[in-house]
Amino acid sequence: LSNFDLSSIPVKDSMIDAEIVAHVQLQNPLEHALLVLTKTGYNAVPVLDLESKFCGIISKSNIVEEMFGIEQIEVSRLHEKKVEDVMESDVPTITEQDSLEKALHILINYSFVCVVDEEEKMQGIYTRREILKQIRNEFYR
Amino acid sequence: LSNFDLSSIPVKDSMIDAEIVAHVQLQNPLEHALLVLTKTGYNAVPVLDLESKFCGIISKSNIVEEMFGIEQIEVSRLHEKKVEDVMESDVPTITEQDSLEKALHILINYSFVCVVDEEEKMQGIYTRREILKQIRNEFYR
Ligand SMILES: Nc1ncnc2c1ncn2[C@@H]1O[C@@H]2COP(=O)(O)O[C@H]3[C@@H](O)[C@H](n4cnc5c(N)ncnc54)O[C@@H]3COP(=O)(O)O[C@H]2[C@H]1O
Ligand SMILES: Nc1ncnc2c1ncn2[C@@H]1O[C@@H]2COP(=O)(O)O[C@H]3[C@@H](O)[C@H](n4cnc5c(N)ncnc54)O[C@@H]3COP(=O)(O)O[C@H]2[C@H]1O
């Protein structure tokens, strides 16, 4: 029926290149990160350090949760805290040579996964939308 | 290799039942909607009317964009505006009998799709995570 084999296709061919991946820096204040997320329209983006090494993921949720004070929404915390204070650093990454099958397992739990080289520099991201398009093209072109 | 055929599997079997789908009402103020989204941890949820009919989707983005005033973050707008003022109403829906193939096409552009009956009442949602799990189980159990 189909010799569709995700384990033989490397991520490299269909990943979103680092150049067009919106991201923030470890040291950015949360207010800046929220602005980036709002302007780009993404719910979560990678966090890089000054050498473009992947450090984690920051989401709108991480930031908005920080705003909810005891009684009401408190915007001041957004000036005080930084990306590195609230980001999620314990997230899986893959390399360009890894297969779509490996990406599939990760994308069940994460809406995107960062592609990094041997020095942990971000080369791109691979998203659920990309893998679903690949699957649709294989089965239903 | 595999007789995996998404067009023959109805959504019904693997959808997330309406009972456990977080949602908000048309008339809720945005502050309430933001609290629901923050507490549940979801970036977007369905919007229902008083008869449980599906009306649209509201996302954290819709609400956070509303907060960005001319000079700074203005929380007051969240008390003034309602869910129906900022939600996205022009979104596709499917029925219980629709196939995973039909869901796949929609899930390329939306992270979830609402399942409705003939009266537009929400019966559940079908998500990217669900379809990716189904695909993984078919190919890589
Ligand atoms: N500006 C836009 N135009 C058209 N559709 C849009 C869009 N923004 C979001 N979407 C749609 O909404 C889905 C979820 O976006 P979200 O921002 O939660 O989650 C995104 C975001 O966290 C991240 N992402 C995607 N592209 C990115 C980029 N260029 N830079 C940084 N992060 C990105 O990967 C996640 C999954 O993305 P995916 O494409 O699978 O899925 C996207 C896409 O189908
Ligand atoms: N509390 C939690 N526990 C574990 N993992 C979590 C989680 N919240 C989010 N995730 C993970 O993050 C993905 C994106 O969530 P998001 O809230 O942007 O996007 C969600 C959300 O907008 C909506 N959604 C999912 N379950 C829902 C529910 N029970 N009620 C209302 N909306 C739901 O469907 C979208 C896609 O969901 P999907 O499961 O494919 O994908 C989810 C899931 O893999």
Side-chain angles (χ1 to χ4, degrees):
Chain A
L1 206 63
S2 161
N3 55 6
F4 184 49
D5 183 12
L6 293 178
S7 62
S8 64
I9 308 174
V11 173
K12 191 172 157 57
D13 308 329
S14 40
M15 75 179 183
I16 294 173
D17 199 272
E19 287 189 357
I20 57 170
V21 174
H23 66 270
V24 293
Q25 287 282 326
L26 272 180
Q27 294 283 319
N28 291 150
L30 292 190
E31 188 175 24
H32 173 81
L34 189 61
L35 199 64
V36 169
L37 290 169
T38 306
K39 290 280 175 231
T40 58
Y42 296 119
N43 280 315
V45 296
V47 179
L48 306 183
D49 67 14
L50 293 165
E51 296 165 348
S52 294
K53 290 189 191 185
F54 174 75
C55 300
I57 290 174
I58 189 156
S59 70
K60 245 173 210 142
S61 308
N62 300 143
I63 303 175
V64 170
E65 271 179 43
E66 207 51 47
M67 273 166 52
F68 275 95
I70 308 294
E71 299 253 330
Q72 60 202 345
I73 295 176
E74 286 171 25
V75 178
S76 54
R77 294 179 191 209
L78 298 192
H79 310 307
E80 294 156 22
K81 294 215 168 187
K82 294 192 180 0
V83 166
E84 59 185 347
D85 298 330
V86 309
M87 71 181 186
E88 297 167 56
S89 47
D90 185 18
V91 293
T93 56
I94 52 178
T95 68
E96 277 189 331
Q97 291 77 36
D98 281 328
S99 68
L100 294 201
E101 182 196 350
K102 180 164 181 176
L104 173 63
H105 293 294
I106 295 171
L107 292 173
I108 279 167
N109 291 315
Y110 295 87
S111 56
F112 73 96
V113 56
C114 219
V115 182
V116 297
D117 65 14
E118 335 67 49
E119 297 175 349
E120 294 296 314
K121 285 205 173 73
M122 179 174 76
Q123 297 179 300
I125 62 174
Y126 195 65
T127 64
R128 280 175 170 175
R129 183 168 191 271
E130 273 311 312
I131 206 170
L132 289 171
K133 281 189 346 189
Q134 287 261 325
I135 291 164
R136 179 210 42 198
N137 293 348
E138 266 328 292
F139 278 101
Y140 304 105
R141 214 181 312 237
Chain B
L1 206 62
S2 164
N3 54 7
F4 184 48
D5 184 13
L6 293 177
S7 62
S8 64
I9 308 174
V11 173
K12 192 168 156 59
D13 308 329
S14 42
M15 74 179 184
I16 294 174
D17 199 271
E19 287 189 357
I20 58 172
V21 174
H23 66 270
V24 293
Q25 288 280 328
L26 272 180
Q27 294 283 318
N28 289 150
L30 292 190
E31 189 176 24
H32 173 79
L34 188 60
L35 199 64
V36 170
L37 290 169
T38 307
K39 290 280 176 230
T40 57
Y42 297 119
N43 281 315
V45 297
V47 179
L48 306 184
D49 66 14
L50 293 166
E51 296 164 347
S52 293
K53 289 189 190 184
F54 174 74
C55 300
I57 289 174
I58 188 158
S59 70
K60 244 174 209 141
S61 308
N62 300 142
I63 302 175
V64 171
E65 270 178 44
E66 206 52 44
M67 273 167 53
F68 275 95
I70 308 297
E71 299 253 332
Q72 61 201 344
I73 295 176
E74 287 171 24
V75 178
S76 52
R77 293 180 192 207
L78 298 192
H79 311 305
E80 294 156 21
K81 295 215 167 186
K82 294 193 182 353
V83 165
E84 60 187 345
D85 299 330
V86 309
M87 72 183 186
E88 297 165 56
S89 46
D90 185 17
V91 294
T93 57
I94 52 178
T95 68
E96 277 189 331
Q97 291 76 34
D98 281 327
S99 68
L100 293 201
E101 182 196 349
K102 180 161 179 178
L104 174 63
H105 293 293
I106 295 171
L107 293 173
I108 280 166
N109 292 316
Y110 295 87
S111 58
F112 73 96
V113 56
C114 219
V115 182
V116 298
D117 65 17
E118 335 67 49
E119 297 175 350
E120 294 297 314
K121 286 205 172 73
M122 179 177 75
Q123 299 180 298
I125 63 175
Y126 195 64
T127 64
R128 281 175 170 175
R129 183 166 190 271
E130 272 311 312
I131 206 169
L132 289 171
K133 282 189 346 188
Q134 288 259 326
I135 290 164
R136 178 209 44 198
N137 293 347
E138 264 331 289
F139 278 101
Y140 305 105
R141 211 183 312 239

